[in-house]
Amino acid sequence: MPKFKEDISLSKFSHYKIGGPARFFFEAKSEKDVQWAVKEAKKRRLPVFILGGGTNLLIGDNGFDGLVLRPAIQDITVKGSTVMVGAGVLMADLLKRTAARSLAGLEWAGGLPGTVGGAIRGNAGCFGGEVKDTVASVRSFDVKKMKVVTRTAKQCAFAYRHSIFKKKNGAEIVLSVTFALAKGNKKEITKVIQERIRYRKAHHPLEHPNIGSIFKNVPLHAVCRKGSVRYEKALRDLGLALKGSQFSVKTDPFPVISAGKLISESGLRGVSAGGAMISPKHPNFIVNVLDAGSVDVARLITLAKSEVRRKFRIPLEEEVQLL
Ligand SMILES: Cc1cc2nc3c(=O)[nH]c(=O)nc-3n(C[C@H](O)[C@H](O)[C@H](O)COP(=O)(O)OP(=O)(O)OC[C@H]3O[C@@H](n4cnc5c(N)ncnc54)[C@H](O)[C@@H]3O)c2cc1C
């Protein structure tokens, strides 16, 4: 008979090494386990939070007074160029398996931390690619209706760092994903993955615990009207002048200006609160340099938002999730 663990520190499941205890904790190794845990939590009237790799989460110092449920389903089945993968598989492990089988389509995710379930929920993306690009279908568990649902990629309503699962805000748990990949060249695939990993090591402050980019990049159309002379010029020059500063416009996967550059131009590189610091290396990262608490990180998030708004009149929106 499965059993919930009690009073489990969440900081060891957090890429940030930040977070208080979960009152109850359960690692579900199968779809059946997920269903059992949800049923049990309902019986005990416990709120449920779904935890993946903890790489995009700021967990509060007070922890969670309910059940933290970790879908740790680890199956990977390859049939030709179709890959069925459990939500708990790390993206890094998936990439190893698909590269070994010469399957192309996920190379953009080289160095992307976290699980397949987390990547689906937030439609993770980088280097012009997004997880949605190769999804054929997603199986999930509907917590309200207590039933398994299968959706096509279109029905998942993927958008920029968004999906139907994010919209449902915990009411649906990703169980497994089917990717439709393409036959490719093993050497080429491995080369691109390694390049992405090298780029991340060179540009991201991986020497300190972190949760990746704190804010979404800012869509160009939020700064100037899409189709306007200024918008078109920004695209043509791949640059944009804002209050005396020059911002490069990049594709992510549509034209954006970098949140990191906005924070940097607001003079916040290296600013710290308690044990947390806005990374001087990549200012869209807030790093845990010295036993930071969630309160320290929250203070820097508030500061970055208010300074960027004050200087550029641009509202920054968090990419990370808060618990
Ligand atoms: C160094 C670094 C670099 C990063 N670079 C990128 C990048 O380039 N692009 C990018 O998009 N992200 C990036 N991230 C953020 C993060 O890695 C991704 O968002 C990742 O997909 C999150 O997956 P996770 O399993 O860690 O999710 P978690 O952090 O555990 O959870 C994130 C959210 O997803 C939900 N969730 C998790 N699993 C499931 C599930 N099975 N079903 C339903 N909901 C679920 C959680 O409830 C939570 O709300 C980076 C993070 C780090 C630390």
Side-chain angles (χ1 to χ4, degrees), residues 15 49-57 71 87 111-126 161 165 172-175 200 204 206 210-213 285 319 321:
H15 209 69
F49 183 80
I50 310 302
L51 176 70
T55 65
N56 202 27
L57 266 185
L112 179 80
T115 63
V116 168
I120 288 289
R121 190 249 189 201
N123 185 25
C126 45
R161 303 291 178 271
F165 309 105
E172 222 167 291
I173 303 168
V174 177
L175 298 170
R200 285 173 182 278
H204 295 168
L206 304 182
N210 68 80
I211 48 170
S213 293
F285 280 58
E319 181 169 315
Q321 310 301 310

mmCIF file of all heavy atoms in Angstrom, residues 15 49-57 71 87 111-126 161 165 172-175 200 204 206 210-213 285 319 321, ligand 1:
data_model
loop_
_atom_site.group_PDB
_atom_site.id
_atom_site.type_symbol
_atom_site.label_atom_id
_atom_site.label_comp_id
_atom_site.label_asym_id
_atom_site.label_seq_id
_atom_site.Cartn_x
_atom_site.Cartn_y
_atom_site.Cartn_z
ATOM 1 N N HIS A 15 15.870 23.509 -7.424
ATOM 2 C CA HIS A 15 17.138 23.848 -8.085
ATOM 3 C C HIS A 15 17.770 25.061 -7.391
ATOM 4 O O HIS A 15 18.954 25.313 -7.515
ATOM 5 C CB HIS A 15 16.840 24.189 -9.540
ATOM 6 C CG HIS A 15 17.966 23.894 -10.465
ATOM 7 N ND1 HIS A 15 18.372 22.627 -10.778
ATOM 8 C CD2 HIS A 15 18.795 24.716 -11.155
ATOM 9 C CE1 HIS A 15 19.381 22.677 -11.617
ATOM 10 N NE2 HIS A 15 19.664 23.931 -11.858
ATOM 11 N N PHE A 49 -0.004 20.163 -4.814
ATOM 12 C CA PHE A 49 0.887 20.894 -5.719
ATOM 13 C C PHE A 49 1.742 19.889 -6.484
ATOM 14 O O PHE A 49 2.290 18.952 -5.904
ATOM 15 C CB PHE A 49 1.797 21.872 -4.947
ATOM 16 C CG PHE A 49 2.656 22.670 -5.892
ATOM 17 C CD1 PHE A 49 2.131 23.781 -6.550
ATOM 18 C CD2 PHE A 49 3.967 22.292 -6.170
ATOM 19 C CE1 PHE A 49 2.893 24.490 -7.466
ATOM 20 C CE2 PHE A 49 4.738 23.003 -7.082
ATOM 21 C CZ PHE A 49 4.197 24.112 -7.729
ATOM 22 N N ILE A 50 1.851 20.097 -7.805
ATOM 23 C CA ILE A 50 2.629 19.186 -8.660
ATOM 24 C C ILE A 50 4.058 19.711 -8.783
ATOM 25 O O ILE A 50 4.272 20.866 -9.155
ATOM 26 C CB ILE A 50 2.015 19.097 -10.079
ATOM 27 C CG1 ILE A 50 0.521 18.827 -10.001
ATOM 28 C CG2 ILE A 50 2.715 18.037 -10.929
ATOM 29 C CD1 ILE A 50 0.174 17.575 -9.256
ATOM 30 N N LEU A 51 5.010 18.842 -8.478
ATOM 31 C CA LEU A 51 6.425 19.223 -8.553
ATOM 32 C C LEU A 51 7.112 18.413 -9.642
ATOM 33 O O LEU A 51 6.971 17.190 -9.694
ATOM 34 C CB LEU A 51 7.086 18.932 -7.194
ATOM 35 C CG LEU A 51 8.587 19.173 -7.081
ATOM 36 C CD1 LEU A 51 8.902 20.661 -7.133
ATOM 37 C CD2 LEU A 51 9.126 18.596 -5.768
ATOM 38 N N GLY A 52 7.845 19.103 -10.519
ATOM 39 C CA GLY A 52 8.666 18.400 -11.507
ATOM 40 C C GLY A 52 10.104 18.382 -11.012
ATOM 41 O O GLY A 52 10.403 17.872 -9.928
ATOM 42 N N GLY A 53 10.997 18.987 -11.788
ATOM 43 C CA GLY A 53 12.409 19.036 -11.400
ATOM 44 C C GLY A 53 12.728 20.206 -10.485
ATOM 45 O O GLY A 53 13.873 20.370 -10.063
ATOM 46 N N GLY A 54 11.741 21.058 -10.221
ATOM 47 C CA GLY A 54 11.959 22.220 -9.340
ATOM 48 C C GLY A 54 12.926 23.235 -9.940
ATOM 49 O O GLY A 54 13.579 23.983 -9.218
ATOM 50 N N THR A 55 12.994 23.304 -11.289
ATOM 51 C CA THR A 55 13.967 24.217 -11.917
ATOM 52 C C THR A 55 13.340 25.548 -12.336
ATOM 53 O O THR A 55 14.012 26.409 -12.878
ATOM 54 C CB THR A 55 14.609 23.572 -13.167
ATOM 55 O OG1 THR A 55 13.579 23.377 -14.154
ATOM 56 C CG2 THR A 55 15.254 22.244 -12.847
ATOM 57 N N ASN A 56 12.038 25.672 -12.098
ATOM 58 C CA ASN A 56 11.364 26.905 -12.507
ATOM 59 C C ASN A 56 10.478 27.416 -11.385
ATOM 60 O O ASN A 56 9.494 28.102 -11.622
ATOM 61 C CB ASN A 56 10.515 26.614 -13.760
ATOM 62 C CG ASN A 56 10.212 27.854 -14.564
ATOM 63 O OD1 ASN A 56 10.978 28.814 -14.533
ATOM 64 N ND2 ASN A 56 9.101 27.856 -15.273
ATOM 65 N N LEU A 57 10.848 27.060 -10.161
ATOM 66 C CA LEU A 57 9.970 27.272 -9.012
ATOM 67 C C LEU A 57 10.668 28.032 -7.895
ATOM 68 O O LEU A 57 11.771 27.637 -7.482
ATOM 69 C CB LEU A 57 9.629 25.920 -8.396
ATOM 70 C CG LEU A 57 8.368 25.187 -8.787
ATOM 71 C CD1 LEU A 57 8.263 23.955 -7.910
ATOM 72 C CD2 LEU A 57 7.150 26.080 -8.616
ATOM 73 N N PRO A 71 5.135 13.618 -10.070
ATOM 74 C CA PRO A 71 4.970 12.542 -11.053
ATOM 75 C C PRO A 71 6.359 12.103 -11.536
ATOM 76 O O PRO A 71 7.033 12.826 -12.254
ATOM 77 C CB PRO A 71 4.174 13.187 -12.189
ATOM 78 C CG PRO A 71 3.726 14.512 -11.666
ATOM 79 C CD PRO A 71 4.700 14.906 -10.616
ATOM 80 N N ALA A 87 6.218 11.696 -17.767
ATOM 81 C CA ALA A 87 6.357 13.100 -17.369
ATOM 82 C C ALA A 87 7.561 13.344 -16.464
ATOM 83 O O ALA A 87 8.094 14.446 -16.413
ATOM 84 C CB ALA A 87 5.091 13.551 -16.656
ATOM 85 N N GLY A 111 20.890 21.203 -22.667
ATOM 86 C CA GLY A 111 21.178 21.957 -21.439
ATOM 87 C C GLY A 111 19.929 22.468 -20.728
ATOM 88 O O GLY A 111 20.031 23.105 -19.674
ATOM 89 N N LEU A 112 18.734 22.189 -21.274
ATOM 90 C CA LEU A 112 17.496 22.638 -20.601
ATOM 91 C C LEU A 112 17.235 21.736 -19.399
ATOM 92 O O LEU A 112 17.026 20.535 -19.551
ATOM 93 C CB LEU A 112 16.300 22.550 -21.565
ATOM 94 C CG LEU A 112 14.968 22.978 -20.947
ATOM 95 C CD1 LEU A 112 14.835 24.496 -20.919
ATOM 96 C CD2 LEU A 112 13.785 22.379 -21.705
ATOM 97 N N PRO A 113 17.250 22.301 -18.180
ATOM 98 C CA PRO A 113 17.012 21.440 -17.019
ATOM 99 C C PRO A 113 15.513 21.160 -16.819
ATOM 100 O O PRO A 113 14.672 21.775 -17.470
ATOM 101 C CB PRO A 113 17.574 22.249 -15.850
ATOM 102 C CG PRO A 113 17.633 23.647 -16.300
ATOM 103 C CD PRO A 113 17.517 23.689 -17.792
ATOM 104 N N GLY A 114 15.201 20.241 -15.926
ATOM 105 C CA GLY A 114 13.802 19.970 -15.588
ATOM 106 C C GLY A 114 13.263 18.738 -16.298
ATOM 107 O O GLY A 114 13.961 18.069 -17.063
ATOM 108 N N THR A 115 11.994 18.452 -16.006
ATOM 109 C CA THR A 115 11.356 17.231 -16.509
ATOM 110 C C THR A 115 10.525 17.514 -17.772
ATOM 111 O O THR A 115 10.222 18.671 -18.082
ATOM 112 C CB THR A 115 10.392 16.660 -15.445
ATOM 113 O OG1 THR A 115 9.349 17.634 -15.216
ATOM 114 C CG2 THR A 115 11.090 16.353 -14.138
ATOM 115 N N VAL A 116 10.136 16.435 -18.407
ATOM 116 C CA VAL A 116 9.272 16.539 -19.585
ATOM 117 C C VAL A 116 7.922 17.171 -19.192
ATOM 118 O O VAL A 116 7.408 18.051 -19.889
ATOM 119 C CB VAL A 116 9.064 15.133 -20.205
ATOM 120 C CG1 VAL A 116 7.956 15.141 -21.241
ATOM 121 C CG2 VAL A 116 10.370 14.637 -20.818
ATOM 122 N N GLY A 117 7.370 16.765 -18.034
ATOM 123 C CA GLY A 117 6.086 17.322 -17.584
ATOM 124 C C GLY A 117 6.157 18.824 -17.392
ATOM 125 O O GLY A 117 5.259 19.566 -17.827
ATOM 126 N N GLY A 118 7.225 19.298 -16.759
ATOM 127 C CA GLY A 118 7.410 20.737 -16.528
ATOM 128 C C GLY A 118 7.571 21.484 -17.850
ATOM 129 O O GLY A 118 7.025 22.575 -18.038
ATOM 130 N N ALA A 119 8.307 20.874 -18.775
ATOM 131 C CA ALA A 119 8.557 21.522 -20.080
ATOM 132 C C ALA A 119 7.255 21.655 -20.869
ATOM 133 O O ALA A 119 7.005 22.671 -21.525
ATOM 134 C CB ALA A 119 9.580 20.715 -20.875
ATOM 135 N N ILE A 120 6.390 20.640 -20.771
ATOM 136 C CA ILE A 120 5.109 20.687 -21.485
ATOM 137 C C ILE A 120 4.220 21.775 -20.881
ATOM 138 O O ILE A 120 3.634 22.593 -21.582
ATOM 139 C CB ILE A 120 4.401 19.303 -21.393
ATOM 140 C CG1 ILE A 120 5.127 18.289 -22.267
ATOM 141 C CG2 ILE A 120 2.913 19.386 -21.744
ATOM 142 C CD1 ILE A 120 4.966 18.504 -23.754
ATOM 143 N N ARG A 121 4.148 21.783 -19.559
ATOM 144 C CA ARG A 121 3.261 22.717 -18.876
ATOM 145 C C ARG A 121 3.599 24.172 -19.246
ATOM 146 O O ARG A 121 2.726 24.984 -19.490
ATOM 147 C CB ARG A 121 3.385 22.481 -17.368
ATOM 148 C CG ARG A 121 2.349 23.204 -16.564
ATOM 149 C CD ARG A 121 2.992 24.276 -15.787
ATOM 150 N NE ARG A 121 2.079 24.868 -14.834
ATOM 151 C CZ ARG A 121 2.279 26.065 -14.320
ATOM 152 N NH1 ARG A 121 3.337 26.757 -14.652
ATOM 153 N NH2 ARG A 121 1.416 26.571 -13.466
ATOM 154 N N GLY A 122 4.911 24.488 -19.303
ATOM 155 C CA GLY A 122 5.311 25.874 -19.585
ATOM 156 C C GLY A 122 5.706 26.085 -21.041
ATOM 157 O O GLY A 122 6.196 27.149 -21.391
ATOM 158 N N ASN A 123 5.516 25.074 -21.899
ATOM 159 C CA ASN A 123 6.002 25.129 -23.293
ATOM 160 C C ASN A 123 7.408 25.727 -23.315
ATOM 161 O O ASN A 123 7.659 26.776 -23.913
ATOM 162 C CB ASN A 123 5.051 25.932 -24.191
ATOM 163 C CG ASN A 123 5.488 25.879 -25.652
ATOM 164 O OD1 ASN A 123 6.168 24.939 -26.086
ATOM 165 N ND2 ASN A 123 5.121 26.894 -26.414
ATOM 166 N N ALA A 124 8.332 25.033 -22.635
ATOM 167 C CA ALA A 124 9.716 25.519 -22.530
ATOM 168 C C ALA A 124 10.302 25.717 -23.923
ATOM 169 O O ALA A 124 9.961 24.999 -24.865
ATOM 170 C CB ALA A 124 10.546 24.500 -21.749
ATOM 171 N N GLY A 125 11.165 26.697 -24.026
ATOM 172 C CA GLY A 125 11.778 26.967 -25.327
ATOM 173 C C GLY A 125 13.064 27.737 -25.193
ATOM 174 O O GLY A 125 13.333 28.360 -24.161
ATOM 175 N N CYS A 126 13.871 27.681 -26.229
ATOM 176 C CA CYS A 126 15.110 28.460 -26.309
ATOM 177 C C CYS A 126 15.732 28.236 -27.682
ATOM 178 O O CYS A 126 15.357 27.283 -28.374
ATOM 179 C CB CYS A 126 16.100 28.078 -25.222
ATOM 180 S SG CYS A 126 16.298 26.326 -24.990
ATOM 181 N N ARG A 161 5.525 30.221 -23.627
ATOM 182 C CA ARG A 161 5.648 29.754 -22.230
ATOM 183 C C ARG A 161 4.256 29.467 -21.621
ATOM 184 O O ARG A 161 3.990 29.804 -20.460
ATOM 185 C CB ARG A 161 6.382 30.789 -21.363
ATOM 186 C CG ARG A 161 7.744 31.169 -21.834
ATOM 187 C CD ARG A 161 8.766 30.033 -21.702
ATOM 188 N NE ARG A 161 10.039 30.469 -22.220
ATOM 189 C CZ ARG A 161 10.406 30.335 -23.501
ATOM 190 N NH1 ARG A 161 9.616 29.715 -24.364
ATOM 191 N NH2 ARG A 161 11.563 30.785 -23.909
ATOM 192 N N PHE A 165 -2.334 23.281 -19.809
ATOM 193 C CA PHE A 165 -2.031 22.733 -18.472
ATOM 194 C C PHE A 165 -1.664 23.875 -17.508
ATOM 195 O O PHE A 165 -1.989 23.828 -16.331
ATOM 196 C CB PHE A 165 -0.902 21.696 -18.574
ATOM 197 C CG PHE A 165 -1.192 20.676 -19.633
ATOM 198 C CD1 PHE A 165 -0.532 20.698 -20.856
ATOM 199 C CD2 PHE A 165 -2.188 19.727 -19.433
ATOM 200 C CE1 PHE A 165 -0.841 19.786 -21.856
ATOM 201 C CE2 PHE A 165 -2.513 18.812 -20.427
ATOM 202 C CZ PHE A 165 -1.835 18.846 -21.646
ATOM 203 N N GLU A 172 -4.816 19.724 -13.851
ATOM 204 C CA GLU A 172 -4.519 18.622 -14.768
ATOM 205 C C GLU A 172 -3.034 18.292 -14.678
ATOM 206 O O GLU A 172 -2.182 19.180 -14.754
ATOM 207 C CB GLU A 172 -4.911 19.025 -16.184
ATOM 208 C CG GLU A 172 -5.592 17.856 -16.879
ATOM 209 C CD GLU A 172 -6.282 18.251 -18.149
ATOM 210 O OE1 GLU A 172 -7.295 18.967 -18.057
ATOM 211 O OE2 GLU A 172 -5.813 17.840 -19.219
ATOM 212 N N ILE A 173 -2.758 17.028 -14.498
ATOM 213 C CA ILE A 173 -1.373 16.597 -14.282
ATOM 214 C C ILE A 173 -0.875 15.899 -15.542
ATOM 215 O O ILE A 173 -1.491 14.920 -15.999
ATOM 216 C CB ILE A 173 -1.305 15.622 -13.084
ATOM 217 C CG1 ILE A 173 -1.885 16.303 -11.837
ATOM 218 C CG2 ILE A 173 0.121 15.141 -12.852
ATOM 219 C CD1 ILE A 173 -2.125 15.336 -10.672
ATOM 220 N N VAL A 174 0.220 16.389 -16.100
ATOM 221 C CA VAL A 174 0.790 15.735 -17.286
ATOM 222 C C VAL A 174 1.364 14.388 -16.868
ATOM 223 O O VAL A 174 2.141 14.297 -15.902
ATOM 224 C CB VAL A 174 1.895 16.618 -17.927
ATOM 225 C CG1 VAL A 174 2.536 15.897 -19.105
ATOM 226 C CG2 VAL A 174 1.319 17.957 -18.368
ATOM 227 N N LEU A 175 0.956 13.324 -17.587
ATOM 228 C CA LEU A 175 1.414 11.964 -17.267
ATOM 229 C C LEU A 175 2.494 11.497 -18.237
ATOM 230 O O LEU A 175 3.516 10.938 -17.827
ATOM 231 C CB LEU A 175 0.234 10.991 -17.334
ATOM 232 C CG LEU A 175 -0.919 11.242 -16.362
ATOM 233 C CD1 LEU A 175 -2.101 10.349 -16.715
ATOM 234 C CD2 LEU A 175 -0.474 10.987 -14.927
ATOM 235 N N ARG A 200 25.219 27.719 -22.796
ATOM 236 C CA ARG A 200 24.625 27.952 -21.482
ATOM 237 C C ARG A 200 25.712 28.084 -20.413
ATOM 238 O O ARG A 200 25.631 28.961 -19.547
ATOM 239 C CB ARG A 200 23.662 26.821 -21.127
ATOM 240 C CG ARG A 200 22.354 26.874 -21.870
ATOM 241 C CD ARG A 200 21.544 25.634 -21.590
ATOM 242 N NE ARG A 200 20.301 25.607 -22.307
ATOM 243 C CZ ARG A 200 19.186 26.232 -21.926
ATOM 244 N NH1 ARG A 200 19.175 26.951 -20.830
ATOM 245 N NH2 ARG A 200 18.092 26.147 -22.631
ATOM 246 N N HIS A 204 25.346 31.603 -18.713
ATOM 247 C CA HIS A 204 24.453 31.552 -17.545
ATOM 248 C C HIS A 204 25.265 31.358 -16.259
ATOM 249 O O HIS A 204 26.286 30.670 -16.272
ATOM 250 C CB HIS A 204 23.448 30.400 -17.688
ATOM 251 C CG HIS A 204 22.502 30.561 -18.832
ATOM 252 N ND1 HIS A 204 21.683 29.554 -19.287
ATOM 253 C CD2 HIS A 204 22.233 31.646 -19.627
ATOM 254 C CE1 HIS A 204 20.966 29.991 -20.307
ATOM 255 N NE2 HIS A 204 21.278 31.250 -20.537
ATOM 256 N N LEU A 206 25.733 29.396 -13.837
ATOM 257 C CA LEU A 206 25.406 28.053 -13.348
ATOM 258 C C LEU A 206 26.216 27.680 -12.102
ATOM 259 O O LEU A 206 25.979 26.633 -11.500
ATOM 260 C CB LEU A 206 25.634 27.020 -14.462
ATOM 261 C CG LEU A 206 24.871 27.283 -15.766
ATOM 262 C CD1 LEU A 206 25.123 26.175 -16.782
ATOM 263 C CD2 LEU A 206 23.375 27.417 -15.513
ATOM 264 N N ASN A 210 20.066 28.416 -9.018
ATOM 265 C CA ASN A 210 19.215 29.405 -9.707
ATOM 266 C C ASN A 210 18.005 28.691 -10.278
ATOM 267 O O ASN A 210 17.939 27.459 -10.258
ATOM 268 C CB ASN A 210 20.020 30.091 -10.816
ATOM 269 C CG ASN A 210 20.352 29.117 -11.941
ATOM 270 O OD1 ASN A 210 19.521 28.846 -12.798
ATOM 271 N ND2 ASN A 210 21.549 28.535 -11.912
ATOM 272 N N ILE A 211 17.046 29.459 -10.810
ATOM 273 C CA ILE A 211 15.876 28.839 -11.458
ATOM 274 C C ILE A 211 15.696 29.400 -12.875
ATOM 275 O O ILE A 211 14.586 29.560 -13.358
ATOM 276 C CB ILE A 211 14.590 28.980 -10.612
ATOM 277 C CG1 ILE A 211 14.385 30.418 -10.112
ATOM 278 C CG2 ILE A 211 14.596 27.998 -9.462
ATOM 279 C CD1 ILE A 211 13.006 30.641 -9.473
ATOM 280 N N GLY A 212 16.829 29.695 -13.509
ATOM 281 C CA GLY A 212 16.763 30.181 -14.894
ATOM 282 C C GLY A 212 16.285 31.618 -14.947
ATOM 283 O O GLY A 212 16.366 32.366 -13.960
ATOM 284 N N SER A 213 15.759 32.014 -16.088
ATOM 285 C CA SER A 213 15.307 33.395 -16.264
ATOM 286 C C SER A 213 14.086 33.657 -15.394
ATOM 287 O O SER A 213 13.128 32.896 -15.417
ATOM 288 C CB SER A 213 14.933 33.644 -17.733
ATOM 289 O OG SER A 213 16.091 33.575 -18.518
ATOM 290 N N PHE A 285 18.807 36.426 -14.295
ATOM 291 C CA PHE A 285 18.904 35.365 -13.290
ATOM 292 C C PHE A 285 19.092 36.023 -11.920
ATOM 293 O O PHE A 285 19.893 36.945 -11.786
ATOM 294 C CB PHE A 285 20.138 34.478 -13.525
ATOM 295 C CG PHE A 285 19.991 33.424 -14.598
ATOM 296 C CD1 PHE A 285 19.678 33.767 -15.903
ATOM 297 C CD2 PHE A 285 20.213 32.091 -14.303
ATOM 298 C CE1 PHE A 285 19.571 32.794 -16.901
ATOM 299 C CE2 PHE A 285 20.109 31.111 -15.290
ATOM 300 C CZ PHE A 285 19.790 31.460 -16.589
ATOM 301 N N GLU A 319 8.418 34.644 -15.329
ATOM 302 C CA GLU A 319 8.358 33.371 -16.052
ATOM 303 C C GLU A 319 8.318 32.230 -15.032
ATOM 304 O O GLU A 319 7.736 31.180 -15.273
ATOM 305 C CB GLU A 319 9.601 33.236 -16.947
ATOM 306 C CG GLU A 319 9.635 31.970 -17.767
ATOM 307 C CD GLU A 319 10.734 31.978 -18.832
ATOM 308 O OE1 GLU A 319 10.879 32.999 -19.526
ATOM 309 O OE2 GLU A 319 11.442 30.978 -18.947
ATOM 310 N N GLN A 321 7.457 30.124 -11.511
ATOM 311 C CA GLN A 321 6.236 29.892 -10.732
ATOM 312 C C GLN A 321 6.556 30.068 -9.249
ATOM 313 O O GLN A 321 7.667 29.770 -8.817
ATOM 314 C CB GLN A 321 5.719 28.461 -10.957
ATOM 315 C CG GLN A 321 5.614 28.073 -12.407
ATOM 316 C CD GLN A 321 4.678 29.004 -13.163
ATOM 317 O OE1 GLN A 321 3.563 29.253 -12.739
ATOM 318 N NE2 GLN A 321 5.152 29.528 -14.282
HETATM 319 C C1 LIG B 1 19.811 27.094 -15.582
HETATM 320 C C2 LIG B 1 18.396 27.117 -16.104
HETATM 321 C C3 LIG B 1 18.159 27.412 -17.433
HETATM 322 C C4 LIG B 1 16.843 27.412 -17.920
HETATM 323 N N1 LIG B 1 16.647 27.694 -19.244
HETATM 324 C C5 LIG B 1 15.386 27.679 -19.737
HETATM 325 C C6 LIG B 1 15.157 27.937 -21.130
HETATM 326 O O1 LIG B 1 16.076 28.154 -21.893
HETATM 327 N N2 LIG B 1 13.884 27.919 -21.570
HETATM 328 C C7 LIG B 1 12.814 27.660 -20.742
HETATM 329 O O2 LIG B 1 11.664 27.639 -21.204
HETATM 330 N N3 LIG B 1 13.015 27.413 -19.425
HETATM 331 C C8 LIG B 1 14.256 27.411 -18.903
HETATM 332 N N4 LIG B 1 14.464 27.165 -17.582
HETATM 333 C C9 LIG B 1 13.312 26.949 -16.692
HETATM 334 C C10 LIG B 1 12.960 25.479 -16.486
HETATM 335 O O3 LIG B 1 14.058 24.649 -16.675
HETATM 336 C C11 LIG B 1 11.872 25.012 -17.412
HETATM 337 O O4 LIG B 1 10.762 25.846 -17.302
HETATM 338 C C12 LIG B 1 11.461 23.575 -17.128
HETATM 339 O O5 LIG B 1 10.699 23.111 -18.217
HETATM 340 C C13 LIG B 1 10.675 23.371 -15.823
HETATM 341 O O6 LIG B 1 10.525 21.977 -15.599
HETATM 342 P P1 LIG B 1 10.520 21.361 -14.136
HETATM 343 O O7 LIG B 1 10.264 19.913 -14.283
HETATM 344 O O8 LIG B 1 11.741 21.728 -13.378
HETATM 345 O O9 LIG B 1 9.247 22.063 -13.509
HETATM 346 P P2 LIG B 1 9.071 22.630 -12.008
HETATM 347 O O10 LIG B 1 9.995 23.772 -11.803
HETATM 348 O O11 LIG B 1 9.121 21.527 -11.034
HETATM 349 O O12 LIG B 1 7.576 23.166 -12.095
HETATM 350 C C14 LIG B 1 7.241 24.265 -12.910
HETATM 351 C C15 LIG B 1 5.712 24.321 -13.041
HETATM 352 O O13 LIG B 1 5.268 23.188 -13.783
HETATM 353 C C16 LIG B 1 4.312 22.428 -13.052
HETATM 354 N N5 LIG B 1 4.522 21.005 -13.370
HETATM 355 C C17 LIG B 1 5.666 20.290 -13.257
HETATM 356 N N6 LIG B 1 5.472 19.025 -13.667
HETATM 357 C C18 LIG B 1 4.169 18.944 -14.044
HETATM 358 C C19 LIG B 1 3.333 17.894 -14.543
HETATM 359 N N7 LIG B 1 3.800 16.656 -14.737
HETATM 360 N N8 LIG B 1 2.034 18.174 -14.794
HETATM 361 C C20 LIG B 1 1.519 19.412 -14.592
HETATM 362 N N9 LIG B 1 2.257 20.441 -14.121
HETATM 363 C C21 LIG B 1 3.562 20.213 -13.849
HETATM 364 C C22 LIG B 1 4.567 22.776 -11.577
HETATM 365 O O14 LIG B 1 3.397 22.620 -10.793
HETATM 366 C C23 LIG B 1 5.008 24.230 -11.676
HETATM 367 O O15 LIG B 1 3.885 25.087 -11.692
HETATM 368 C C24 LIG B 1 15.765 27.137 -17.062
HETATM 369 C C25 LIG B 1 16.012 26.844 -15.703
HETATM 370 C C26 LIG B 1 17.312 26.819 -15.237
HETATM 371 C C27 LIG B 1 17.561 26.464 -13.795
#
